[in-house]
Amino acid sequence: MAQQIRLKNEEAEIEDLTEFLIKAGHGVKGLSETELGDLPQQYIQPQSERPSCMKIMDESSIPIIDVSNWDDPMVVKSVCDAAHKWGFFQIINHGIPLEVLENVKLATLAFFSLPPEEKRNYFKHTSPSNHVRLSTSFIPEAENALEWKDYLSLFYVSDVEALTLWPAVCRDQLLDYMRMSQVVIKPLTEVLMKGLNINEINEKEWSAMTGSKRINLNYYPKCPKPELTVGVGRHSDVSTFTLLLQDDIGGLYVRAPDGENWIHVPPIPGALVVNIGDALQIMSNGKYKSIEHRVIANKINDRISIPLFVNPKPSEVIGPLEEVLKESGEKPKYKTVLYSDYTLHFYRKNHDGKGTLEFAKL
Ligand SMILES: COc1cc(/C=C/C(=O)SCCNC(=O)CCNC(=O)[C@H](O)C(C)(C)COP(=O)(O)OP(=O)(O)OC[C@H]2O[C@@H](n3cnc4c(N)ncnc43)[C@H](O)[C@@H]2OP(=O)(O)O)ccc1O
Ligand SMILES: O=C(O)CCC(=O)C(=O)O
Ligand SMILES: [Fe+2]
């Protein structure tokens, strides 16, 4: 990120964007609150990444699946078909109480409402741990154009660690949610494995698929020129799968199965969005697909979303599962990779659609 760019508007003169966003702890939320009329040039995305270049399919929708009975063969089929064809679906009647979800959203708002002097302590160079990291955009050091988002990223190791390290203003609500999320994570993993003809999941496979968790609190403040920038650029998640809780504003788009168009993911009260990540695409040898998605910025409203990334353990070596190769007779499409190498590769570059997967392709 350029260091010496001057931003001017009637209210504010910001000497140095990095200083303002990160060192002083304002983030892009603080920038939005200065009510600047123009977008700082660092946020201007190339034409091809702007919303005007998106072909949007209004009439289409990702599947909405009632998962009140995970054992129902129709539910199993709907989930596995959706993971194969769409890589994205919404689940309703999932068993996580509405109150728990509402508390997570309130806790997210509470964290971002902290004064900048407090938030600055969580940015990379001042955070007490690399398991707690507040950032703005995605990886400013690696990006050609910034994204209009702040996010707190929390890597879960244990309740004891989280109670010590995670910000007090949101930790209890997030831990409650993480605990409750098992009522989705366990049956969802089992169902997805059934679709690969794996009916018993051994200890090693659980760890390979769900051994680590990361929760991000995303804050997209309102933006003076949403047509010139993005909330999050095109990417696929590097997780096994992600459970995404969004508020009622909207703005998340996923790539349609035709690979060209984009489809909006409408907020549904109480629902969770599920998306397949790269790790599961690799383990299923491409049967389940991680899908490109992006968020457009909003001129009028702030928006929050909370992805819970369910991942392999960083120390896990992942590759196409033996059972999948045996059952299908297919050749592996991906090599085996150390999961932390894969994640680091993702964290060292711009969002680039499904570019991260090239790292594992044979
Ligand atoms: C769409 O916008 C996004 C998306 C995301 C995340 C999407 C996902 O799919 S998250 C799932 C990722 N999986 C995991 O976190 C589990 C596996 N974890 C690991 O392998 C490790 O924890 C690690 C991520 C490799 C970090 O290893 P560690 O030993 O702790 O080393 P560090 O020194 O802390 O970090 C190394 C390197 O990575 C960068 N980094 C680490 N964590 C984050 C983070 N949460 N957000 C951004 N960048 C991170 C860090 O800056 C270091 O880079 P250097 O160049 O300084 O070495 C997330 C954000 C979005 O906007
Ligand atoms: O905000 C959203 O709806 C999606 C965020 C996202 O894709 C991510 O954090 O990986
Ligand atoms: Fe994502």
Side-chain angles (χ1 to χ4, degrees):
M1 181 165 38
Q3 297 289 311
Q4 293 297 332
I5 309 285
R6 291 173 83 83
L7 299 169
K8 286 191 180 160
N9 66 73
E10 301 87 359
E11 313 293 324
E13 181 176 297
I14 301 156
E15 288 281 336
D16 178 334
L17 195 56
T18 307
E19 175 71 37
F20 179 84
L21 295 175
I22 296 171
K23 297 204 184 111
H26 293 284
V28 71
K29 178 175 186 281
L31 200 54
S32 167
E33 284 165 359
T34 64
E35 299 198 353
L36 68 179
D38 247 330
L39 193 69
Q41 58 99 2
Q42 291 93 332
Y43 289 93
I44 299 181
Q45 292 284 331
Q47 192 79 42
S48 58
E49 300 302 322
R50 296 187 199 161
S52 58
C53 278
M54 292 168 72
K55 281 200 255 167
I56 294 169
M57 283 172 89
D58 284 329
E59 71 286 2
S60 201
S61 157
I62 61 168
I64 299 165
I65 306 173
D66 181 331
V67 293
S68 40
N69 180 6
W70 287 99
D71 294 328
D72 179 343
M74 281 311 292
V75 173
V76 176
K77 182 169 166 28
S78 304
V79 166
C80 296
D81 286 354
H84 171 67
K85 181 177 172 197
W86 297 87
F88 258 88
F89 47 97
Q90 305 215 51
I91 54 173
I92 54 173
N93 296 323
H94 43 65
I96 304 180
L98 204 55
E99 194 194 352
V100 172
L101 302 182
E102 286 310 310
N103 285 343
V104 168
K105 289 190 252 177
L106 290 174
T108 301
L109 292 172
F111 174 79
F112 284 100
S113 300
L114 289 174
E117 313 78 77
E118 245 177 272
K119 280 188 286 187
R120 63 193 272 189
N121 298 326
Y122 295 109
F123 278 95
K124 184 170 169 179
H125 297 291
T126 38
S127 175
S129 158
N130 59 8
H131 292 167
V132 179
R133 166 117 13 118
L134 179 59
S135 304
T136 190
S137 186
F138 174 45
I139 308 289
E141 307 80 27
E143 292 169 295
N144 302 324
L146 297 182
E147 301 180 348
W148 196 260
K149 177 185 88 166
D150 295 326
Y151 67 101
L152 178 71
S153 189
L154 303 166
F155 187 65
Y156 177 83
V157 172
S158 66
D159 278 23
V160 173
E161 186 194 271
L163 286 168
T164 325
L165 292 177
W166 292 12
V169 72
C170 56
R171 67 177 177 220
D172 295 343
Q173 298 84 341
L174 298 180
L175 282 173
D176 251 4
Y177 176 51
M178 295 204 65
R179 234 170 272 134
M180 282 307 300
S181 67
Q182 279 305 116
V183 306
V184 171
I185 292 171
K186 188 165 180 288
L188 175 58
T189 309
E190 285 166 349
V191 161
L192 287 167
M193 289 304 109
K194 260 190 207 159
L196 300 175
N197 284 311
I198 299 174
N199 294 310
E200 292 289 323
I201 307 175
N202 63 37
E203 197 62 28
K204 181 161 173 18
E205 285 166 337
W206 274 114
S207 167
M209 284 178 289
T210 67
S212 78
K213 297 193 184 85
R214 180 181 289 283
I215 190 161
N216 282 7
L217 312 185
N218 293 331
Y219 191 95
Y220 307 89
K222 58 179 184 270
C223 174
K225 293 270 169 66
E227 65 280 12
L228 298 180
T229 192
V230 294
V232 176
R234 295 179 295 113
H235 70 285
S236 57
D237 292 350
V238 294
S239 55
T240 302
F241 56 77
T242 306
L243 305 181
L244 179 87
L245 173 63
Q246 60 169 335
D247 68 9
D248 57 355
I249 302 300
L252 169 63
Y253 288 81
V254 307
R255 190 68 100 171
D258 67 9
E260 247 193 68
N261 287 282
W262 292 91
I263 300 173
H264 187 234
V265 180
I268 300 175
L272 286 170
V273 180
V274 178
N275 62 289
I276 303 302
D278 292 350
L280 188 52
Q281 173 159 341
I282 293 169
M283 289 188 277
S284 68
N285 205 33
K287 174 159 186 195
Y288 296 138
K289 309 210 176 51
S290 66
I291 297 292
E292 244 182 312
H293 51 288
R294 61 192 302 185
V295 175
I296 62 167
N298 189 303
K299 194 171 176 101
I300 299 162
N301 296 298
D302 303 330
R303 172 175 184 265
I304 55 167
S305 71
I306 300 98
L308 170 52
F309 302 103
V310 179
N311 311 305
K313 269 215 174 92
S315 56
E316 203 64 54
V317 173
I318 61 160
L321 297 169
E322 261 172 40
E323 294 94 325
V324 173
L325 297 179
K326 226 187 253 166
E327 168 77 22
S328 65
E330 286 170 354
K331 290 216 167 82
K333 296 183 177 129
Y334 306 97
K335 54 188 168 199
T336 52
V337 289
L338 180 67
Y339 184 59
S340 60
D341 286 348
Y342 191 83
T343 313
L344 278 180
H345 178 63
F346 171 71
Y347 282 137
R348 293 235 160 94
K349 59 181 174 55
N350 241 359
H351 280 137
D352 59 352
K354 288 199 63 170
T356 321
L357 261 176
E358 295 303 317
F359 187 76
K361 269 198 187 136
L362 276 170

